[in-house]
Amino acid sequence: MVEYSCRLADFVVNLRYDALEEKVVEKTKMHILDTLGVTLGAFEMPWSRMVAGLARGMGGSPQSTVFGVEGRYPMLTAALANGTMAHGIDMDDSGARPSWAHPGSCIVPAAYASGEAEEVDGRDLITAVLAGYEVNCRIDSAVYPGLRDRGFHATGVVGTFGAAAAAGKILGLDEVELVNAFGLAGTQAAGLEEWLSAGDMSKRLHAGKAAMNGVLAALLAREGYTGPSTVLEGKYGLLETHTEEYDLSRLTEGLGEEYKIMGCKFKPYACCHELCPPIRLALQAKEEYGFEYDDIEEIRIGLNHITAENQLQVAETPLHAQNHPAVAVAIALVEGQVFLKEFFESYDDPRVVELGKKIVVYTDPEIDEVFPSKIGTRVEITARNDKITMFEEDKPPVPYSFVKEKFRVLASTRLPEERVEKILDMVDALEDLENILDLSALL
């Protein structure tokens, strides 16, 4: 039997830019742009400043950029800092169904840091990022939902493999070396979901460590360091140790014929992607029916069983607000809008606290039956003069035009407008860029 890591490595090594369809290239560029934007947008967060400060203080070989910071740093610390920031406001992209992780915040920092050190061109960066998404989403899909049920955060676990694939592609690993890189990625793959209870900073670090560990795995493999080729399906491999149920077929089904990045999603709000539909439906109901937050007597939110586990009605930290539906919807209705700062500034507003206590989150059987192939949402609002039901069978994709505007808003918190527009133009034509250091100069 051919080990699954060998089949994935063969795909990555033989992936060529010239064989890609235009729509795949365009989608990949949008995910690169989106990741750059959320990284810059998170720069002022305390966890971002800590990790960026750590990178500055450690110094080292001038290889790669920490986005938003002058100078260049070792690729490992750049990947760590950029990955942590990219996941720092919970606005980074999410994987193709049925995967659950956030691929961009792990893969783009790994590809970019190693790409700067190797001074690759835009086509090489696009190809490496695409390779990372493919490996990330396939492994994620194979272990979903069992990985989450065992308490592991998929972003930190499967993101390490995606980062290793992207960095390995940049570094020119052959198939044997990339198999070793996957083995080394697996032994470093980590991330616990306990942050859901504590609302602490550890979640932000998961993507940074995945990016850093993926680059480290690729660098070591290039030197001849070995790892287990059965890291995925072996007796003590990822699937057997991290989940009680998995689907091996998802690792390779359609490999080379379809690209998982085409099913990856962008976020319109700075919160868990499963919270975006109830927020949008609640705001839509408010606009259509004209009620105010203090008119509301009760709200019931029907979701899939995994998201419905997040039952907090009152948040103690911003991370609680970004991951618990009752708090997020309460913020949106009290503020009348939501994008980023509301989750960090309004979670403990007395009005939000009062409304959150009136919101019940439950598992809706109709929605759960088709999950995760569809992400359905039911919002029932009982207001003073109305009883409103909003239902959505599946959440619609976010258009590219929104992704570009989202980048403008987030990047402008750190960079001047003129430079923001130059970055947009450069990413639009990334396939023509001869050296990504030209983009780095703007970042």
Side-chain angles (χ1 to χ4, degrees):
M1 184 181 72
V2 177
E3 290 95 344
Y4 284 89
S5 64
C6 294
R7 297 176 68 178
L8 292 173
D10 176 72
F11 163 80
V12 172
V13 169
N14 291 292
L15 184 64
R16 296 289 179 267
Y17 176 87
D18 292 340
L20 302 177
E21 294 182 64
E22 183 179 353
K23 65 180 182 180
V24 177
V25 171
E26 291 302 309
K27 187 70 161 40
T28 305
K29 291 192 298 184
M30 293 307 296
H31 282 279
I32 293 172
L33 180 71
D34 190 64
T35 304
L36 294 178
V38 297
T39 305
L40 292 166
F43 188 85
E44 294 298 333
M45 295 296 169
W47 38 88
S48 299
R49 297 188 70 83
M50 290 177 197
V51 74
L54 183 66
R56 282 194 297 264
M58 290 177 67
S61 300
Q63 296 174 315
S64 309
T65 302
V66 174
F67 301 146
V69 178
E70 291 183 2
R72 295 175 72 186
Y73 303 87
M75 67 174 90
L76 289 175
T77 47
L80 172 66
N82 290 333
T84 302
M85 290 191 289
H87 198 48
I89 53 173
D90 262 312
M91 217 170 189
D92 43 326
D93 60 16
S94 54
R97 296 171 192 165
S99 59
W100 189 261
H102 301 280
S105 52
C106 306
I107 294 162
V108 174
Y112 205 95
S114 52
E116 285 183 292
E118 297 292 310
E119 296 194 24
V120 302
D121 61 24
R123 293 188 175 200
D124 288 338
L125 179 64
I126 291 168
T127 309
V129 169
L130 178 61
Y133 271 76
E134 194 69 13
V135 170
N136 186 104
C137 291
R138 286 181 174 277
I139 296 175
D140 194 10
S141 295
V143 295
Y144 184 81
L147 189 74
R148 170 65 162 71
D149 291 341
R150 286 287 292 272
F152 291 105
H153 186 206
T155 299
V157 176
V158 303
T160 310
F161 288 93
K169 185 67 173 174
I170 291 284
L171 297 173
L173 301 190
D174 62 26
E175 186 176 334
V176 172
E177 291 168 333
L178 194 52
V179 168
N180 284 323
F182 287 150
L184 296 170
T187 207
Q188 298 180 87
L192 299 176
E193 289 274 79
E194 189 56 24
W195 55 267
L196 270 171
S197 301
D200 58 89
M201 298 182 186
S202 62
K203 178 180 190 284
R204 323 289 187 182
L205 184 63
H206 293 170
K209 282 291 287 178
M212 175 183 171
N213 291 345
V215 174
L216 177 60
L219 286 170
L220 287 172
R222 189 170 66 170
E223 295 300 313
Y225 210 109
T226 62
S229 59
T230 52
V231 65
L232 295 173
E233 75 278 10
K235 179 180 178 180
Y236 301 113
L238 180 78
L239 278 65
E240 286 288 342
T241 59
H242 281 58
T243 174
E244 293 180 1
E245 59 175 296
Y246 54 83
D247 187 342
L248 279 170
S249 69
R250 291 176 181 170
L251 291 171
T252 55
E253 186 177 26
L255 183 64
E257 300 170 3
E258 60 181 63
Y259 292 99
K260 296 299 183 183
I261 200 168
M262 300 306 294
C264 291
K265 309 294 184 184
F266 301 105
K267 285 188 188 178
Y269 315 123
C271 62
C272 170
H273 59 104
E274 299 298 290
L275 273 56
C276 295
I279 288 173
R280 181 167 33 79
L281 291 180
L283 288 174
Q284 181 181 332
K286 183 178 188 297
E287 182 177 354
E288 290 182 9
Y289 290 87
F291 59 80
E292 296 298 330
Y293 79 91
D294 51 1
D295 294 329
I296 296 170
E297 297 172 5
E298 183 187 50
I299 298 177
R300 290 176 55 81
I301 302 174
L303 299 165
N304 63 77
H305 73 281
I306 289 181
T307 311
E309 288 179 358
N310 299 348
Q311 288 282 323
L312 282 185
Q313 294 175 301
V314 178
E316 296 179 6
T317 72
L319 191 59
H320 282 154
Q322 293 175 295
N323 287 277
H324 290 270
V327 183
V329 169
I331 290 172
L333 290 174
V334 168
E335 295 292 344
Q337 62 178 17
V338 68
F339 180 66
L340 168 60
K341 66 182 179 66
E342 293 84 2
F343 293 103
F344 294 88
E345 297 176 359
S346 303
Y347 70 93
D348 55 356
D349 184 313
R351 299 170 298 170
V352 170
V353 172
E354 180 184 358
L355 181 55
K357 293 176 181 178
K358 299 178 181 178
I359 300 177
V360 176
V361 177
Y362 68 97
T363 299
D364 186 299
E366 180 185 352
I367 290 168
D368 208 42
E369 185 177 2
V370 296
F371 176 79
S373 60
K374 293 182 179 180
I375 309 297
T377 306
R378 193 185 311 275
V379 176
E380 302 164 289
I381 301 173
T382 302
R384 197 165 296 164
N385 300 312
D386 298 289
K387 189 170 180 61
I388 306 154
T389 299
M390 309 287 285
F391 176 76
E392 182 175 80
E393 184 181 33
D394 202 3
K395 62 178 182 179
V398 173
Y400 287 1
S401 58
F402 178 88
V403 176
K404 291 185 176 182
E405 189 57 33
K406 172 184 170 183
F407 174 82
R408 286 189 176 96
V409 173
L410 294 175
S412 65
T413 63
R414 185 65 182 160
L415 303 176
E417 181 180 349
E418 180 182 359
R419 195 182 299 184
V420 169
E421 294 302 319
K422 285 181 179 179
I423 294 171
L424 274 165
D425 292 340
M426 197 169 285
V427 175
D428 267 343
L430 189 58
E431 64 272 27
D432 299 324
L433 192 63
E434 295 182 0
N435 190 326
I436 65 169
L437 290 179
D438 293 338
L439 177 57
S440 303
L442 299 175
L443 293 166

